[in-house]
Amino acid sequence: MLQLEPDVAFGAHPEFGVVAETADARPFLAEVLRRHRFAYSDRLRLWQLAAGTPFNTSLRLVASASREFQDAGLAVLTDPRVLLPPAPAGARVREPLPGLSLTAVSTELSGLVRAGDVANALDPVLDEDHGVFAGLEDVFTSAAGWCERLGTEHGRQLAGELRAGVHQVVTLGERLLEAQLTLSVMPDTLPKNAPAQTVERLAEPVVAHAERARAAVAASPHHPFTPATSTGTAAVPPRQAVPPPGRAR
């Protein structure tokens, strides 16, 4: 039979940190919470971890207590916000990037030849301040906040689902970033059914693999892992009239 009311619920309070609430005053519930460093507050009528408990420590304590409760056959509810690290102090407010169009980026990608150019084309999408994934995180978070302000059980449930979606957005962004890093150090190869002008472009001197690797791990003003743009200063072989390709579009 589905149990709608949990025996123990863990949550993230904006002022008091990680807290826990029990369905009743069973001694076993209090014993487990005390073993996991929770102290009861008569004023809040909640159990709470000590102020200043590190984020990773609080995660381990909540996970361990939840497992012990579940092993005893009890129902446990955990607010997804407990799993989210706190925002750093003085974090910058993200502003939209004017003119960023996924359709335009997709069209550009379909016409590129070099792997390095593809990596460059992904920069605006992955930008940590203005990119698509950064914007999606804000959309999910803002929608979750609105649902919470409804003050209803359904609103809180929907807010939790939206906050869990933030993790999915972050995961997708990390996958695309890994692909970008791989593309930035990938040797140029001739695509199948490439037109004649493509063959001519690929015949031009290319940036050395070692130089690409260094560029891939260089710091960027937009993203700590975004490949740096090549300066286009690779050495030109003697009697070669065509300048070496740059990474900039």
Side-chain angles (χ1 to χ4, degrees), residues 4-18:
L4 298 179
E5 294 296 331
D7 295 290
V8 183
F10 293 96
H13 193 282
E15 182 179 355
F16 304 109
V18 177

Side-chain angles (χ1 to χ4, degrees), residues 22-23 38-39 48 71-72 110 134 150-151 172 211 215 222 230 236-237 242 249:
T22 58
F38 282 83
Q48 61 180 135
D71 289 344
S110 65
L150 291 176
L172 287 174
E211 184 176 340
H222 300 295
S230 171
V236 178
V242 182
R249 296 188 301 280

Side-chain angles (χ1 to χ4, degrees), residues 47-198:
W47 294 82
Q48 61 180 135
L49 289 176
T53 300
F55 173 70
N56 290 337
T57 300
S58 66
L59 277 186
R60 288 195 298 269
L61 292 173
V62 170
S64 178
S66 298
R67 186 166 52 251
E68 188 167 345
F69 286 132
Q70 291 170 343
D71 289 344
L74 301 177
V76 181
L77 176 66
T78 302
D79 188 330
R81 287 176 297 180
V82 174
L83 310 177
L84 296 176
R92 293 173 296 173
V93 177
R94 292 179 178 136
E95 297 179 356
L97 182 64
L100 176 58
S101 167
L102 289 180
T103 302
V105 173
S106 299
T107 302
E108 180 183 9
L109 288 172
S110 65
L112 296 176
V113 176
R114 300 184 185 280
D117 293 335
V118 175
N120 279 339
L122 294 175
D123 277 344
V125 178
L126 291 168
D127 188 282
E128 66 175 358
D129 290 322
H130 311 293
V132 172
F133 292 97
L136 274 177
E137 289 181 43
D138 290 342
V139 168
F140 272 83
T141 302
S142 298
W146 187 92
C147 292
E148 286 175 341
R149 290 195 295 273
L150 291 176
T152 63
E153 182 62 30
H154 184 259
R156 288 189 290 270
Q157 179 182 355
L158 185 56
E161 294 173 357
L162 287 168
R163 292 192 184 281
V166 174
H167 294 284
Q168 299 174 7
V169 172
V170 171
T171 299
L172 287 174
E174 289 175 347
R175 289 180 180 175
L176 188 59
L177 177 60
E178 290 173 0
Q180 185 194 46
L181 293 175
T182 301
L183 288 166
S184 69
V185 296
M186 181 182 295
D188 289 321
T189 57
L190 182 65
K192 294 181 179 179
N193 303 321
Q197 58 267 31
T198 298

Side-chain angles (χ1 to χ4, degrees), residues 7-10 20-42 46-49 65 68-69 72 74:
D7 295 290
V8 183
F10 293 96
E21 184 177 11
T22 58
D24 49 53
R26 275 172 284 176
F28 176 74
L29 302 180
E31 177 187 347
V32 173
L33 288 173
R34 287 194 183 97
R35 276 205 309 270
H36 290 84
R37 306 186 193 177
F38 282 83
Y40 187 74
S41 170
D42 292 322
L46 293 171
W47 294 82
Q48 61 180 135
L49 289 176
E68 188 167 345
F69 286 132
L74 301 177

